[in-house]
Amino acid sequence: MKTQNDRWQYHYNEVMQFMKDKKRRPSKHHVEEHRMLNWVKYNKKRLARGLLSAQQTSLFNVLLAMADKLRRLNQYAYEKPLPFD
């Protein structure tokens, strides 16, 4: 029988491997990725409430840092000067 920590680690590994392979975050536009996306959103809430263990907190912060690097940039806002600058 798997413990709750084992299941958490399994989902963490699944999301990290997905981001490494696909070079993007799980998307709400792909039904097959909803489970991963929901896991990330749920754990963001748990992190904010302080409900993650110290190990889970450090691992999840690594995941969030990687996800932030894969964030899609708004090309207009970041690559072109604004007309009123």
Side-chain angles (χ1 to χ4, degrees), residues 53-71:
S53 70
Q55 180 186 9
Q56 288 175 342
T57 298
S58 64
L59 287 173
F60 197 66
N61 283 330
V62 169
L63 185 141
L64 291 176
M66 183 177 179
D68 204 37
K69 289 178 186 176
L70 298 173
R71 185 178 296 271

Side-chain angles (χ1 to χ4, degrees), residues 17-75:
Q17 192 61 48
F18 175 86
M19 290 193 303
K20 286 177 185 175
D21 292 346
K22 304 278 187 174
K23 306 283 190 264
R24 64 181 178 83
R25 298 178 299 169
S27 171
K28 68 180 180 181
H29 301 293
H30 295 93
V31 174
E32 61 276 6
E33 299 169 17
H34 283 188
R35 187 174 39 80
M36 287 186 283
L37 182 64
N38 288 336
W39 182 85
V40 171
K41 291 187 327 186
Y42 174 70
N43 279 282
K44 277 185 182 180
K45 291 176 185 177
R46 291 186 70 216
L47 178 66
R49 293 180 185 140
L51 299 175
L52 294 178
S53 70
Q55 180 186 9
Q56 288 175 342
T57 298
S58 64
L59 287 173
F60 197 66
N61 283 330
V62 169
L63 185 141
L64 291 176
M66 183 177 179
D68 204 37
K69 289 178 186 176
L70 298 173
R71 185 178 296 271
R72 183 174 164 203
L73 298 178
N74 181 328
Q75 295 171 348

